[in-house]
Amino acid sequence: MKIWNNPFRKILLFSLLLLSFSSAQAEENQKETLLFLPLDNRPVCSSYVAKTMEAAGYKVLLPPDKYLASYNRNGSPDELWKWLVSRAPHADAAVISTDSLIYGGLVASRTHHEPQAVLEQRLQRLETLRDQFPVRLYAFSTLMRTPRASFGAVEPPYYSKIGPAIFRYSELCDSEDLIGLSLKDALTKKLCLPTCLKQICRTGWNAAKKISISTAS
């Protein structure tokens, strides 16, 4: 090609290529760094989300997989906290699953037996992160579900006995808000509630329920 026979054109082409590379490198250096603490290690909760963030132009850091919950283990809130503290000084923002940070994952948030004091101490870590590091916080949590039945050891022990009653009561409350209840359903709801509450208290549900997340980002 004639372009290669002209030294000035070679220099011009090389300069353009160098400029293009420098611009791309500068853009890479300007990317914000996000710490992402997912709900667990399922791809839909971790790698898929991280790739979406990266596609939006962010540099994403994930904790080691061994600290996250998986199908056969709970995550480690203490190790995840250590990871956050070690990375926070060099990050712009953190996207945090409070279920992972406080309980060790989604299933653990339903089935744990941690003392209330321990849970509150872990919750305070969000305030520590906010106050001691120049990092923006985006924390998210799940709402405990009320399935029709319990299976696969992913619900608290009491649910195998009174889960259907809790589900039925929730269903009636929803119907009452949306369309109203028939006399039969209204009586069922009235009788169902006291029974559920007594059984839940006897099985220690109050000790296992999730605490509210009120920390401001």
Side-chain angles (χ1 to χ4, degrees):
M1 295 177 63
K2 292 184 177 180
I3 187 173
W4 296 113
N5 296 327
N6 190 319
F8 296 105
R9 289 184 178 181
K10 289 181 181 180
I11 294 173
L12 177 59
L13 181 58
F14 178 77
S15 300
L16 290 174
L17 290 174
L18 182 62
L19 179 61
S20 177
F21 174 79
S22 299
S23 299
Q25 188 66 36
E27 183 179 350
E28 179 71 20
N29 293 336
Q30 290 175 359
K31 285 184 177 180
E32 287 197 338
T33 298
L34 301 185
L35 305 180
F36 177 41
L37 177 52
L39 186 60
D40 50 46
N41 73 347
R42 289 174 297 172
V44 71
C45 296
S46 57
S47 60
Y48 292 177
V49 181
K51 289 178 181 178
T52 301
M53 292 177 177
E54 290 171 347
Y58 296 97
K59 179 181 179 182
V60 182
L61 302 180
L62 286 162
D65 187 78
K66 63 183 178 180
Y67 299 151
L68 295 172
S70 69
Y71 75 96
N72 62 354
R73 69 167 188 268
N74 291 334
S76 174
D78 291 335
E79 293 299 329
L80 291 171
W81 170 241
K82 292 177 184 177
W83 177 82
L84 280 171
V85 170
S86 67
R87 299 296 189 276
H90 310 291
D92 297 290
V95 181
I96 299 172
S97 164
T98 56
D99 293 289
S100 282
L101 184 63
I102 298 173
Y103 305 101
L106 178 61
V107 174
S109 73
R110 305 173 189 148
T111 61
H112 73 89
H113 296 283
E114 296 283 5
Q116 186 78 6
V118 172
L119 300 179
E120 291 178 352
Q121 182 182 31
R122 291 174 180 171
L123 177 62
Q124 291 299 315
R125 290 171 172 174
L126 285 173
E127 292 187 354
T128 300
L129 201 62
R130 179 196 63 189
D131 295 340
Q132 296 186 8
F133 299 96
V135 58
R136 301 190 305 276
L137 295 184
Y138 302 94
F140 64 96
S141 180
T142 60
L143 297 178
M144 187 178 289
R145 66 181 185 177
T146 53
R148 187 182 297 272
S150 175
F151 60 91
V154 295
E155 306 296 341
Y158 65 79
Y159 216 89
S160 61
K161 295 182 178 180
I162 60 175
I166 297 175
F167 173 85
R168 180 58 176 156
Y169 179 73
S170 299
E171 185 180 41
L172 291 173
C173 288
D174 185 57
S175 295
E176 186 175 34
D177 290 340
L178 295 176
I179 59 176
L181 296 176
S182 65
L183 178 60
K184 178 182 177 180
D185 286 344
L187 289 174
T188 299
K189 176 176 176 289
K190 184 177 180 180
L191 295 175
C192 179
L193 176 58
T195 302
C196 280
L197 290 179
K198 288 179 182 179
Q199 293 185 46
I200 289 173
C201 289
R202 282 201 298 268
T203 53
W205 177 79
N206 284 327
K209 69 180 179 179
K210 298 174 72 175
I211 60 177
S212 300
I213 305 302
S214 58
T215 304
S217 60

